[in-house]
């Protein structure tokens, strides 16, 4: 979900206004995703690298998360979304962790769409954490194959990623779901995240559907 800052700058607004606007597109998008039959979505909300932003922006983002969790979680719950948080959540402020836990508990039984929120998430740290947990579990080297590794990721039940959407014209992966995107298709758009509409999302799905995925075959 990239481009909130630039969206705000273009309007002579503070970056925080861009983050606020970015939250507002979520419900209509997830609605559209649910209707289109998408079973799982991961939103990259805060990366392990985002701590390097100025302190006031980091606290704005955490504050916004807390504020918006109050209104958006019930909204998403009504729509049958099951919320899960992935990342090094133990490093987040306790208030944020508590809100995340509450959201998970409230929505645990929903089955329309799984919405993973990547918070303090990094693809490399996810793999390091998986390796650590395999070692702690006492796995023998020959027990570790791709299937085992996948079971030690943050959300082992999540399907492999079919499509990655990145907004704001950036052409990078930026440490997002490194393991899970091995065969993912990409949809890259100049649109800034707060301007990303359900219509464009459906266009991205159409673009995805028209591709032929060979997965190394012919
Ligand atoms: C993405 O928008 C939002 C988060 C990282 C939470 P940015 O803040 O990266 O927006 P730009 O890249 O500065 O436009
Ligand atoms: Mg950015």
């Amino acid at each position: 979900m990239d481009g909130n800052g630039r969206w705000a700058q273009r309007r002579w607004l503070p970056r925080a206004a861009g983050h606020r606007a970015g939250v507002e597109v979520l419900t209509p998008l997830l609605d559209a995703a649910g209707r289109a039959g998408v079973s799982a979505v991961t939103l990259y909300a805060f990366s392990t690298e985002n701590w390097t932003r100025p302190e006031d922006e980091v606290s704005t983002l955490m504050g916004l998360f807390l504020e918006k969790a109050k209104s958006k979680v019930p909204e998403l719950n009504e729509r049958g979304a099951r919320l899960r948080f992935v990342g090094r959540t133990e490093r987040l402020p306790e208030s944020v962790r508590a809100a995340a836990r509450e959201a998970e508990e409230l929505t645990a039984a929903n089955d329309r769409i799984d919405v993973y929120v990547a918070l303090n998430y990094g693809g490399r740290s996810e793999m390091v954490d998986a390796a650590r947990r395999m070692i702690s579990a006492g796995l023998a080297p020959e027990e570790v194959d791709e299937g085992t590794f996948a079971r030690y990721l943050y959300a082992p039940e999540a399907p492999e990623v079919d499509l990655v959407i990145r907004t704001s014209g950036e052409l990078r992966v930026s440490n997002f779901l490194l393991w899970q995107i091995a065969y993912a298709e990409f949809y890259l758009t100049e649109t800034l995240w707060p301007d990303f509409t359900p219509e464009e999302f459906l266009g991205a799905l159409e673009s995805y559907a028209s591709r032929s995925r060979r997965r190394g075959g012919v």
Side-chain angles (χ1 to χ4, degrees):
M1 302 186 284
D2 203 0
N4 293 349
R6 279 162 284 171
W7 184 92
Q9 264 158 14
R10 285 182 196 172
R11 290 162 176 78
W12 301 95
L13 293 168
R15 293 177 57 82
H19 295 313
R20 284 187 173 279
V23 177
E24 292 316 312
V25 307
L26 285 173
T27 306
L29 272 177
L30 294 171
D31 258 346
R35 275 199 303 272
V38 172
S39 66
V41 167
T42 304
L43 305 165
Y44 204 179
F46 193 86
S47 76
T48 47
E49 289 72 35
N50 286 148
W51 296 107
T52 61
R53 293 191 177 202
E55 216 179 293
D56 68 321
E57 179 158 350
V58 171
S59 55
T60 295
L61 287 168
M62 296 296 157
L64 193 61
F65 174 80
L66 285 174
E67 180 196 322
K68 292 297 174 186
K70 285 200 185 73
S71 52
K72 300 291 161 194
V73 170
E75 213 169 282
L76 296 176
N77 183 43
E78 275 167 30
R79 289 166 167 77
R82 188 176 75 110
L83 290 163
R84 304 283 301 153
F85 290 81
V86 290
R88 286 189 170 162
T89 43
E90 68 280 3
R91 306 268 175 92
L92 293 164
E94 181 44 40
S95 52
V96 170
R97 295 168 58 188
R101 262 197 313 271
E102 278 168 32
E104 289 188 338
E105 281 162 17
L106 177 72
T107 63
N110 293 342
D111 59 6
R112 183 156 167 85
I113 185 169
D114 288 340
V115 177
Y116 294 92
V117 182
L119 258 193
N120 195 23
Y121 175 87
R124 287 185 174 178
S125 10
E126 178 174 31
M127 289 194 265
V128 168
D129 289 349
R132 285 181 179 165
R133 287 195 293 118
M134 284 186 282
I135 293 164
S136 306
L139 260 65
E142 56 279 9
E143 289 180 276
V144 180
D145 55 19
E146 292 185 14
T148 321
F149 202 102
R151 283 194 290 282
Y152 281 83
L153 297 171
Y154 294 141
E157 77 288 357
E160 244 191 66
V161 172
D162 292 316
L163 175 67
V164 175
I165 297 176
R166 183 163 191 165
T167 53
S168 87
E170 306 294 354
L171 307 175
R172 292 187 288 278
V173 170
S174 298
N175 210 8
F176 185 55
L177 301 178
L178 295 182
W179 177 276
Q180 298 87 337
I181 63 169
Y183 288 100
E185 298 286 329
F186 279 74
Y187 176 84
L188 303 164
T189 173
E190 294 285 329
T191 305
L192 302 174
W193 176 254
D195 291 329
F196 192 67
T197 58
E199 291 68 38
E200 183 167 6
F201 176 73
L202 294 176
L205 294 187
E206 265 168 39
S207 155
Y208 168 81
S210 71
R211 303 181 198 181
S212 120
R213 299 177 82 193
R214 290 182 293 274
R215 294 176 167 266
V218 287

